[in-house]
Amino acid sequence: MDLLEFQGKEFFASYGIPVSDGAAATDVEEAVAIAERIGYPVVVKAQVHTGGRGKAGGVKLAADGDECRTHASNILGLDIKGHIVEIIWVEKASDIAEEYYVSFTLDRSAKKYLGMLSAEGGVEIEAVAETNPEAIAKIHIDPAEGLDRDTCRQWVEAANLNPDATDGAVDILLKLFTAYVEGDADLAEINPLILKPTGEVHALDAKVSLDANSSYRHPEYAKYDETQPRDERELAAHAKGLQYVGLDGSVGVIANGAGLAMSTVDVVNQVGGSPANFLDIGGGANADVMAGALEVINNDPAVKSIFINIFGGITRGEEVANGIIEALNRVDIDAPIVVRLDGTNAEEGRAILRPALTDSLRMEETMLGAATKAVELAKTEG
Ligand code: GDP
Ligand code: MN
């Protein structure tokens, strides 16, 4: 679950991390009323599930009501990287002496938490990692040990922040770590974490992703459901009872079994393509399920080819083959299809498919061969 900035700040504030006073609005007059209550200058900020809002014109300082009105009306409805702004956040403007970066994530290969802290905040951390990687102080934290104050202080010192910021930064980093762990977050990032001219340290932005599987421990997370970005493809697929996850590539993927579906996504990547989705049609690859799956994939305009990867188990090869042919009679498919059929009665299934093969329905013996073909077709069609 990805939180909007204002939700992230509310999450931070509940762990005692200092954030600016503010409120969310969905129209211009509401924004002005908030600004009047807080007092000028304020910052008007687009609330969308993407970064780089500042550069896109989605973060503006307003010195008075007229400016607030202008910025609010310009930002509401703004398209930031394909996200239309429907909510704005109005907060008390801060004076900034320095901008830092801090985040906690999970380093799966190290089996530890990873903390990253940099004196070069305010810009995208990927850019810092590329041009000046030694400016990022990293720390691995054993989940069983946690982060103590001394270790945290050493980490802050290693990052070469302004010494005036040390105490405030240590305090916030410890609280952020608690929020990350106890809040079951996958990501907790503050960019920028600011040092004010008065010496206080403060979170000026919030990027938080919560583990949705932990919501049984956090019933209050239900309030974030409403603002989750919706993938129309996922809604359509879930309505048909399909296990579907939208991705942003061009090869539509259909497989039976979650493991095979994941391997199919991997093999498409391995041969240089990019999957448009993960889709597990489960055990019974019958015509109804296959037709539903093809329909969902066909409605995705990004799909340039379709890779059907079935390993017959209890469902025999000839049932799968008949299911595919029957489904193709029911749904008109725009993209070429490549089928790989293996497992129980694969040969019988292939014999059924063979007479139906054309340029738009192909068959390959192996998973790797089929992936290669599907990727090649996606590239020529795209
Ligand atoms: P992002 O561009 O989506 O990461 O949005 P941020 O919330 O990080 O804001 C972008 C930039 O706007 C920050 O790095 C600051 O330089 C600036 N900014 C945001 N809030 C304030 C504020 O209260 N005062 C000042 N002076 N600048 C701000
Ligand atoms: Mn930011």
Side-chain angles (χ1 to χ4, degrees), residues 5 43 45 51-55 59 61 91-94 96 99 122 191-192 204-205:
E5 175 197 3
V43 191
K45 307 184 78 174
R53 295 164 302 157
K55 271 192 218 156
V59 177
L61 273 163
E91 73 174 23
K92 182 91 186 155
S94 306
I96 304 177
E99 298 188 73
N191 186 24
L204 209 61
D205 193 4

Side-chain angles (χ1 to χ4, degrees), residues 7 221-230:
Q7 297 166 331
Y221 290 176
K223 67 183 171 218
Y224 301 133
D225 281 348
E226 215 177 306
T227 49
Q228 282 314 294
R230 295 201 184 285

Side-chain angles (χ1 to χ4, degrees), residues 248-253 268-269 271-276 301-307 334-338 359 362 370-382:
D248 41 22
S250 58
V251 179
V253 166
V268 166
N269 277 310
V271 298
S274 63
V303 167
K304 302 297 176 218
S305 72
I306 301 171
F307 177 9
D334 306 320
I337 300 174
V338 183
D359 275 357
R362 296 160 192 256
T372 307
K373 190 72 197 165
V375 169
E376 183 191 310
L377 288 169
K379 285 184 178 158
T380 50
E381 299 282 316

Side-chain angles (χ1 to χ4, degrees), residues 37-212:
R37 175 173 64 72
I38 296 171
Y40 295 99
V42 296
V43 191
V44 183
K45 307 184 78 174
Q47 299 298 293
V48 280
H49 287 102
T50 182
R53 295 164 302 157
K55 271 192 218 156
V59 177
K60 295 281 184 192
L61 273 163
D64 55 39
D66 283 346
E67 283 188 10
C68 182
R69 196 166 272 114
T70 305
H71 294 322
S73 67
N74 288 341
I75 293 174
L76 280 165
L78 192 67
D79 180 335
I80 302 181
K81 300 181 193 164
H83 301 256
I84 308 296
V85 181
E86 290 172 356
I87 305 174
I88 48 178
W89 167 252
V90 182
E91 73 174 23
K92 182 91 186 155
S94 306
D95 288 330
I96 304 177
E98 296 193 9
E99 298 188 73
Y100 307 133
Y101 171 96
V102 61
S103 70
F104 289 105
T105 50
L106 180 66
D107 182 343
R108 288 169 199 278
S109 47
K111 298 181 182 152
K112 285 183 176 156
Y113 299 130
L114 173 65
M116 292 198 278
L117 176 63
S118 178
E120 296 193 16
V123 291
E124 274 163 35
I125 196 64
E126 291 81 3
V128 180
E130 195 145 299
T131 57
N132 194 10
E134 60 285 1
I136 304 172
K138 295 185 180 176
I139 184 175
H140 274 105
I141 303 159
D142 188 326
E145 287 169 11
L147 178 64
D148 63 61
R149 191 167 283 274
D150 285 344
T151 312
C152 188
R153 181 168 289 272
Q154 284 161 19
W155 176 34
V156 169
E157 282 165 0
N160 290 317
L161 311 186
N162 186 320
D164 289 349
T166 304
D167 288 345
V170 168
D171 193 54
I172 291 185
L173 266 47
L174 288 169
K175 286 173 174 160
L176 186 64
F177 181 71
T178 304
Y180 173 77
V181 175
E182 289 181 7
D184 289 299
D186 293 321
L187 166 73
E189 178 188 273
I190 306 177
N191 186 24
L193 175 73
I194 58 162
L195 171 65
K196 297 187 189 181
T198 48
E200 295 135 291
V201 181
H202 184 101
L204 209 61
D205 193 4
K207 190 168 173 189
V208 175
S209 184
L210 300 171
D211 178 358

